[in-house]
Amino acid sequence: MRRWHKFLAPWFALILFVLALTGVATQMTSLLDTRPAASAAKEGKEAKAPIDAKPAQKPQSAMRSWNRWVKHLHSGESLGPVGIALNLAGGLAILFFAASGFWMYLSMALRLRRGRRARLR
């Protein structure tokens, strides 16, 4: 298992780094995107508008458009089918590295435990 872990890690390091970076950027841009207080007060008045009235188009903030772009990059949609395949491979790589890392840790801990028991006898 260690051999596979060691062989695959460099290949997926860049993909996983991009996924992690864009995931953090998506969350940060969502947190930093705040509406001005004046527009929030206007929305309360818009709730009383007639049912047939079309809702006014809200102007997009620069942070929201940046967030949309980062989400497309994070999901792989901006690179088309290749990006989606890389995104899927990155997700599977995370699962593989988590499971193989846990397996290596567990086997090491059991080996150390057996060694301690053998020394005590």
Side-chain angles (χ1 to χ4, degrees), residues 73-91:
L73 185 63
H74 183 73
S75 68
E77 293 173 0
S78 59
L79 299 176
V82 173
I84 293 171
L86 287 173
N87 194 359
L88 179 62

Side-chain angles (χ1 to χ4, degrees), residues 9 12 16 18 24 32 39 43 52 57 74 77 84 86 88 97-98 102 115 119:
F12 284 102
L16 296 177
V18 169
V24 168
L32 296 175
S39 67
E43 283 185 16
D52 352 348
Q57 290 287 336
H74 183 73
E77 293 173 0
I84 293 171
L86 287 173
L88 179 62
F97 289 129
F102 178 74
R119 278 186 263 144

